């Protein structure tokens, strides 16, 4: 008996060490369409709006626009914050609004125009945010500008900009003036394509007022914006953590107010609401010396947010934008002060992104809601050390592996089709329990249009521990042509990975021009092998693929 138990323990250890069993099968049925391959991934954002027109900011915006077949939307905080072009971490300023000695408004759109001009020149569309409170309007302005740095308590960022206005009419005049200015500068047809919202995470320290005061501010904001441009798209409330009871209460109070509450600005019933927003974050931690992600925490926020929206009959068909949708909460917290953020530079961030976005599709299908966008709160940080561990898409102009997942998504279009496997987790299992234990999540998402098929595969686990590769038998059926042109793209330690190349260089703090050129090349999405022609057999195709832990593959078939 002891020998049997010993053998079982040995087998269990081998199973945990090497990942899956030897038979991982994934079947793709092109004949079974399950929904649109909506490009809701094409949304990004940052706390620091002024980085957009810096050197590396402009470079990255251009890359985001160039990779995407649809317009990329960009969300930023601090668009109304006072100050002259200041650019600390988790800060930014435009100085749009000041007052003269008699309290009369002075508007200056110079810096704000510079930000939005940079977006539009690169084909980026704004998700324009009415925030934060200008110093001259704040009910508690001092101290105003914060000087937060990684390692400091997070609540140090919540200063005078987070308070309600001392004069709601002056705030409404500011909103009206900005929207009118935008229409005059960029044209009505262009501005109608933007999304406009009020504030950020008003259920925590970003808003020092009550939920009722937020609803009041929303009423004045939406009324002024609609007076300036009746066709403007206005939404909110950008609460975070819908699975928290108090956050859920805030979201429901706001939605109920928009449906049936008395409008503070007009006196009528209800408030205009064109789309609904909330945030969802994961929760990584250090376990036994390695990073352990928690995708389930993020998915529970999304699930509860969808459930709440779907419970309102008059709102359930409105577009939903997950205003921040990330593995955890602080993009500007590096991995030196927050060791659990060590996932950000390598392939863990890539595989997490692939696996979590696929579950966003599944959750939207499950609740039958209209998911329009999922904002990755990840951009870039100017004048910071290489691969410092920020949650960003690029470091000093060098693309990180995670950006290549979005390049993969950009190659997928048309209809999503059925994918079934024997080593995957259902979306409910990931939501409820995350991806733990000896079994990894080896799964995929697939799309088809008239002349192409794309299959994204990942080998994900919450624990960032190296194991053996997964041997995958991939079966596709439903092709209507005999010959296919195959491009196989890969993200792993050897492909599409500037971080591993940088480490092999000795992790230089100041790379040479030659090293930078090599890193820029390594940061691009690369092919695992040369393009090849493959033959189908009665509309079917079978392939054998080896995929490392935390690796992501995209197989693109064209004809």
């Amino acid at each position: 008996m002891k020998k049997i138990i010993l053998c079982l323990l040995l087998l269990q250890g081998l199973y945990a060490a090497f990942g899956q069993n030897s038979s991982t099968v994934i079947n793709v049925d092109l004949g079974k369409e399950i929904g649109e391959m909506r490009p809701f991934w094409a949304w990004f954002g940052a706390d620091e709006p002024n980085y957009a027109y810096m050197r590396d900011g402009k470079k990255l915006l251009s890359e985001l626009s160039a990779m995407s077949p649809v317009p990329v939307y960009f969300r930023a905080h601090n668009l109304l914050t006072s100050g002259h072009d200041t650019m600390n971490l988790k800060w930014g300023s435009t100085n749009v609004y000041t007052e003269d000695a008699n309290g009369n408004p002075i508007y200056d759109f110079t810096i704000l125009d510079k930000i939005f001009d940079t977006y539009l020149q690169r084909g980026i569309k704004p998700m324009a945010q009415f925030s934060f409170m200008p110093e001259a309007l704040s009910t508690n302005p001092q101290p105003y500008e914060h000087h937060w740095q990684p390692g400091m308590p997070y609540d140090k960022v919540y200063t005078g900009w987070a308070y309600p206005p001392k004069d709601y009419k002056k705030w409404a005049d500011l909103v009206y003036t900005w929207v009118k200015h935008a229409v005059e500068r960029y044209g009505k047809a262009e501005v109608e394509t933007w999304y406009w919202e009020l504030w950020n995470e008003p259920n925590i320290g970003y808003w020092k007022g009550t939920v009722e005061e937020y609803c009041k501010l929303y009423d004045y904001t939406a009324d002024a914006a609609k007076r300036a441009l009746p066709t403007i798209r206005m939404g909110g409330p950008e609460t975070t953590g819908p699975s928290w009871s108090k956050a859920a209460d805030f979201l429901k109070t706001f939605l109920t107010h928009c449906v049936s509450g008395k409008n503070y600005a007009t006196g009528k019933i209800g408030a205009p609401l064109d789309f609904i927003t909330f945030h969802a974050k994961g929760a990584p931690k250090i376990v036994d010396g390695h990073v352990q992600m928690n995708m389930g925490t993020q998915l529970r926020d999304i699930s509860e947010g969808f459930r709440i929206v779907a419970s309102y009959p008059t709102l359930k068909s409105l577009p939903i934008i997950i205003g921040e949708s990330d593995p955890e909460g602080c993009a500007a917290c590096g991995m030196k002060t927050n060791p659990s953020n060590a996932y950000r530079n390598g392939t863990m961030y890539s595989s997490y992104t692939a696996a979590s976005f696929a579950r966003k599709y599944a959750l939207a299908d499950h609740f039958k809601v209209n998911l329009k966008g999922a904002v990755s709160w990840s951009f870039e940080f100017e004048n910071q050390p290489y691969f410092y561990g920020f949650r960003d898409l690029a470091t000093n102009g060098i693309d990180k592996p995670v950006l290549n997942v979005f390049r993969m998504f950009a190659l997928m279009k048309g209809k999503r089709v059925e994918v079934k496997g024997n080593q995957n987790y259902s979306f409910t299992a990931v939501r409820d329990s995350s991806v733990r234990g000896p079994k990894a999540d080896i799964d995929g998402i697939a799309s088809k249009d008239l002349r192409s098929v794309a299959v994204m595969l990942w080998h994900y686990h919450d624990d960032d521990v190296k194991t053996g590769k997964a041997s995958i038998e991939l079966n596709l059926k439903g092709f209507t042509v005999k010959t296919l042109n195959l491009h196989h793209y890969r993200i792993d330690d050897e492909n599409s990975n500037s971080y591993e190349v940088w480490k092999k260089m000795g992790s230089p703090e100041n790379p040479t021009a030659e090293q930078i050129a090599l890193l820029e090349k390594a940061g691009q999405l690369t092919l695992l092998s040369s393009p090849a022609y493959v033959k189908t057999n009665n509309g079917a195709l079978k392939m054998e693929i080896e995929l490392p832990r935390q690796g992501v593959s995209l197989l693109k078939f064209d004809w």
Side-chain angles (χ1 to χ4, degrees):
M1 185 66 180
K2 290 182 179 180
K3 289 184 178 180
I4 294 174
I5 293 173
L6 183 63
C7 289
L8 288 172
L9 290 172
L10 179 61
L11 287 171
Q12 185 180 24
L14 289 171
Y15 186 79
F18 293 101
Q20 308 302 118
N21 61 38
S22 59
S23 180
T24 301
V25 180
I26 295 178
N27 298 316
V28 179
D29 189 343
L30 305 179
K32 293 184 178 178
E33 298 177 359
I34 59 175
E36 297 289 334
M37 190 72 203
R38 293 185 176 184
F40 62 71
W41 53 267
W43 298 66
F44 302 92
D47 292 80
E48 304 85 2
N50 307 90
Y51 289 167
Y53 52 75
M54 302 293 283
R55 182 195 65 180
D56 292 335
K58 290 190 289 187
K59 178 182 179 182
L60 182 52
L61 287 173
S62 297
E63 287 187 288
L64 294 178
S65 179
M67 78 179 186
S68 177
V70 298
V72 168
Y73 281 85
F74 198 89
R75 177 177 182 260
H77 300 334
N78 294 297
L79 295 178
L80 296 176
T81 308
S82 299
H84 291 86
D85 212 7
T86 47
M87 291 176 281
N88 298 323
L89 292 175
K90 298 194 69 64
W91 181 254
S93 56
T94 63
N95 222 45
V96 167
Y97 183 93
T98 54
E99 294 180 354
D100 65 17
N102 297 318
N104 297 310
I106 300 173
Y107 301 106
D108 184 352
F109 291 98
T110 303
I111 297 174
L112 190 57
D113 288 346
K114 190 175 181 180
I115 295 169
F116 278 39
D117 287 353
T118 302
Y119 293 160
L120 295 172
Q121 287 163 5
R122 286 156 181 80
I124 303 289
K125 290 187 178 292
M127 187 176 182
Q129 187 180 111
F130 294 109
S131 74
F132 292 119
M133 194 58 62
E135 187 173 7
L137 282 179
S138 174
T139 54
N140 189 15
Q142 300 303 325
Y144 190 76
E145 181 180 349
H146 71 73
H147 298 280
W148 179 90
Q149 292 293 319
M152 295 175 64
Y154 195 83
D155 61 6
K156 295 294 184 183
V157 306
Y158 305 137
T159 51
W161 53 264
Y163 286 84
K166 62 185 181 182
D167 188 320
Y168 281 83
K169 184 180 183 304
K170 284 186 175 181
W171 169 266
D173 290 343
L174 169 58
V175 170
Y176 179 88
T177 303
W178 180 13
V179 176
K180 291 291 286 186
H181 172 79
V183 172
E184 291 167 1
R185 185 174 183 85
Y186 304 112
K188 176 175 178 286
E190 172 61 34
V191 178
E192 285 176 331
T193 67
W194 304 355
Y195 291 83
W196 296 74
E197 63 171 357
L198 174 63
W199 225 256
N200 175 69
E201 298 184 346
N203 60 311
I204 60 172
Y206 281 90
W207 176 246
K208 293 298 185 178
T210 64
V211 61
E212 290 79 12
E213 287 173 313
Y214 177 82
C215 291
K216 180 178 180 179
L217 191 68
Y218 183 86
D219 290 348
Y220 276 90
T221 304
D223 177 66
K226 294 283 185 179
R227 284 190 284 110
L229 178 62
T231 51
I232 198 171
R233 295 192 285 201
M234 183 71 205
E238 291 292 3
T239 48
T240 190
S243 61
W244 318 342
S245 60
K246 289 185 179 180
D249 290 344
F250 194 115
L251 177 58
K252 288 185 283 190
T253 298
F254 171 75
L255 295 178
T256 300
H257 174 78
C258 289
V259 171
S260 58
K262 184 177 179 180
N263 191 293
Y264 286 94
T266 67
K268 299 178 181 179
I269 297 301
L273 185 64
D274 299 306
F275 61 95
I276 300 167
T277 58
F278 59 82
H279 296 179
K281 306 284 187 175
K285 61 182 179 180
I286 299 295
V287 176
D288 296 331
H290 67 267
V291 175
Q292 183 184 79
M293 308 298 283
N294 194 335
M295 192 182 296
T297 299
Q298 183 185 4
L299 296 185
R300 285 191 291 276
D301 276 345
I302 296 173
S303 182
E304 183 61 11
F306 286 171
R307 188 198 65 77
I308 290 171
V309 173
S311 71
Y312 287 80
T314 60
L315 302 179
K316 63 185 299 182
S317 63
L318 288 182
I320 295 173
I321 299 171
I322 308 173
E324 296 178 24
S325 188
D326 305 292
E328 39 65 45
C330 179
C333 299
M335 61 188 183
K336 291 184 178 180
T337 55
N338 296 70
S340 61
N341 291 337
Y343 75 89
R344 293 168 166 183
N345 288 328
T347 58
M348 167 62 90
Y349 194 6
S350 307
S351 60
Y352 182 103
T353 299
S356 63
F357 268 78
R359 273 54 190 232
K360 294 170 195 177
Y361 281 104
L363 283 166
D365 290 345
H366 177 72
F367 286 100
K368 297 181 173 59
V369 295
N370 180 12
L371 179 57
K372 180 67 178 180
V375 179
S376 294
W377 203 248
S378 50
F379 185 50
E380 64 94 23
F381 294 86
E382 294 282 337
N383 303 316
Q384 297 291 337
Y386 283 80
F387 297 100
Y388 184 75
F390 292 122
R391 192 176 67 238
D392 48 11
L393 303 173
T395 173
N396 292 280
I398 307 301
D399 295 344
K400 294 169 74 171
V402 67
L403 182 53
N404 288 310
V405 175
F406 296 105
R407 290 190 169 110
M408 287 180 171
F409 275 119
L411 295 173
M412 305 182 75
K413 57 185 178 180
K415 302 287 188 179
R416 284 178 290 123
V417 296
E418 183 183 84
V419 177
K420 288 188 174 182
N422 66 346
Q423 298 289 348
N424 65 321
Y425 284 63
S426 68
F427 76 89
T428 54
V430 182
R431 179 194 64 188
D432 298 341
S433 305
S434 204
V435 181
R436 303 290 169 84
K439 179 183 175 183
D441 178 47
I442 304 177
D443 203 357
I445 184 172
S447 67
K448 71 168 186 180
D449 66 357
L450 290 176
R451 299 186 64 83
S452 69
V453 165
V455 181
M456 183 187 292
L457 305 173
W458 55 84
H459 181 182
Y460 173 77
H461 196 281
D462 273 354
D463 289 297
D464 196 12
V465 176
K466 295 296 182 184
T467 66
K469 297 179 180 180
S471 297
I472 303 172
E473 177 188 307
L474 177 64
N475 299 302
L476 301 99
K477 68 177 183 179
F479 286 107
T480 57
V481 293
K482 183 72 174 177
T483 303
L484 307 170
N485 187 18
L486 170 63
H487 289 74
H488 186 171
Y489 302 92
R490 169 64 63 80
I491 305 167
D492 59 23
D493 284 350
E494 304 298 327
N495 299 277
S496 313
N497 194 328
S498 59
Y499 181 54
E500 290 297 326
V501 172
W502 179 73
K503 289 196 296 182
K504 289 176 182 177
M505 290 177 175
S507 306
E509 295 182 5
N510 297 290
T512 65
E514 181 181 4
Q515 287 175 321
I516 289 173
L518 291 173
L519 290 169
E520 287 180 326
K521 182 178 180 181
Q524 300 302 301
L525 180 62
T526 56
L527 289 165
L528 181 65
S529 55
S530 298
Y533 287 103
V534 294
K535 300 287 187 180
T536 63
N537 183 12
N538 293 322
L541 180 67
K542 179 178 178 179
M543 301 183 66
E544 300 289 339
I545 298 165
E546 286 196 336
L547 187 60
R549 178 67 64 90
Q550 314 302 5
V552 185
S553 271
L554 182 82
L555 293 92
K556 183 82 177 342
F557 303 93
D558 298 285
W559 57 91

